[in-house]
Amino acid sequence: LIYCRSLQSNTWYGPISNGKLANHVLTDLSYSPDKRLIGVFMTLLESDQYYSLYIKETQDVKSKWVLLDDSENIRSILFDLDGIMMGCHAITRQIYKKRTEDMSSEWVESSSYDLPMKKVMFDKDLYLMGIGMVDGKLYKKLGYFWSESAWDTEHIGNDTIFDCFHDYDGCLIASSYKGIVKQSSANYLSDFLPIKETK
């Protein structure tokens, strides 16, 4: 776990204390409702990738990681609009959701079989958006109720990205083959430019 004070500077610091787990690779980060950092860690079991969720003991990012859940092979997480944790399954690539707000409750497969996603998040209009597992493109659900809607396969992003999040202006910032990039306008279909070329 490392950090940066300015993405435009591309200067990174760390690793921070208690930022890693032995024999694991940190692959995704999110925050719990009580503002503790949640990490998704990958390890190899024989030659297969297996993901586990860990959470910081306190809100201090330098506190120890403690196991949160390893009952399902979930590769990325977020919290649904109702406050319940959801995520993408590493094998089926479908969306799973916890049964209740209790983060230790069981996972339930929540989506009908649709395009495989490696990560999902909500766009600024609260429609579910995802990064395609196969092509790394941005997709968006056709309707507000994500569990009842299919992915829009006609309007998809042009750029291949690994991960992304919203900046304060509504534009997405992403990691990509071109480094850290940002959209030129606040629309999920907008092109990504090197971050130094954007406002």
Side-chain angles (χ1 to χ4, degrees):
L1 183 59
I2 61 175
Y3 66 96
C4 180
R5 292 191 175 99
S6 166
L7 289 175
Q8 289 191 338
S9 75
N10 201 28
T11 301
W12 295 85
Y13 304 92
I16 69 166
S17 300
N18 294 316
K20 65 179 182 177
L21 290 175
N23 304 314
H24 289 72
V25 177
L26 179 60
T27 61
D28 192 41
L29 289 170
S30 184
Y31 279 99
S32 67
D34 64 0
K35 306 281 192 278
R36 288 186 292 160
L37 197 60
I38 298 175
V40 181
F41 285 86
M42 186 271 292
T43 189
L44 292 176
L45 297 178
E46 296 179 354
S47 60
D48 297 324
Q49 296 178 349
Y50 192 81
Y51 296 85
S52 301
L53 306 181
Y54 285 78
I55 190 168
K56 288 290 186 173
E57 280 185 323
T58 69
Q59 291 181 1
D60 182 356
V61 295
K62 295 181 180 178
S63 64
K64 292 182 180 179
W65 290 109
V66 293
L67 181 64
L68 177 62
D69 191 337
D70 61 357
S71 62
E72 280 289 351
N73 203 356
I74 303 295
R75 63 172 293 133
S76 63
I77 64 156
L78 78 156
F79 286 83
D80 201 351
L81 301 178
D82 59 7
I84 299 176
M85 184 189 289
M86 56 192 281
C88 293
H89 198 280
I91 297 173
T92 68
R93 274 61 168 192
Q94 299 302 306
I95 300 171
Y96 278 53
K97 187 172 177 177
K98 290 285 189 176
R99 189 170 295 280
T100 69
E101 288 184 21
D102 181 353
M103 291 187 291
S104 63
S105 63
E106 67 178 319
W107 288 100
V108 178
E109 189 171 7
S110 300
S111 59
S112 55
Y113 277 79
D114 202 343
L115 290 175
M117 294 290 153
K118 64 180 176 181
K119 182 164 185 164
V120 291
M121 70 224 70
F122 288 100
D123 201 359
K124 61 187 186 307
D125 59 5
L126 303 183
Y127 277 57
L128 193 67
M129 200 167 47
I131 301 174
M133 187 71 207
V134 175
D135 58 9
K137 308 286 187 184
L138 274 175
Y139 292 81
K140 197 168 180 177
K141 286 283 188 174
L142 288 166
Y144 179 79
F145 299 102
W146 63 263
S147 61
E148 303 169 8
S149 303
W151 293 106
D152 184 345
T153 56
E154 183 178 353
H155 306 99
I156 62 174
N158 295 316
D159 298 277
T160 299
I161 60 173
F162 307 129
D163 199 355
C164 65
F165 67 94
H166 282 97
D167 200 355
Y168 292 110
D169 58 8
C171 296
L172 289 167
I173 293 176
S175 55
S176 73
Y177 290 113
K178 298 182 283 187
I180 304 294
V181 292
K182 182 177 175 177
Q183 288 181 321
S184 53
S185 64
N187 182 311
Y188 86 104
L189 294 175
S190 177
D191 290 333
F192 284 92
L193 302 172
I195 194 163
K196 291 184 178 180
E197 297 177 17
T198 63
K199 295 182 180 179

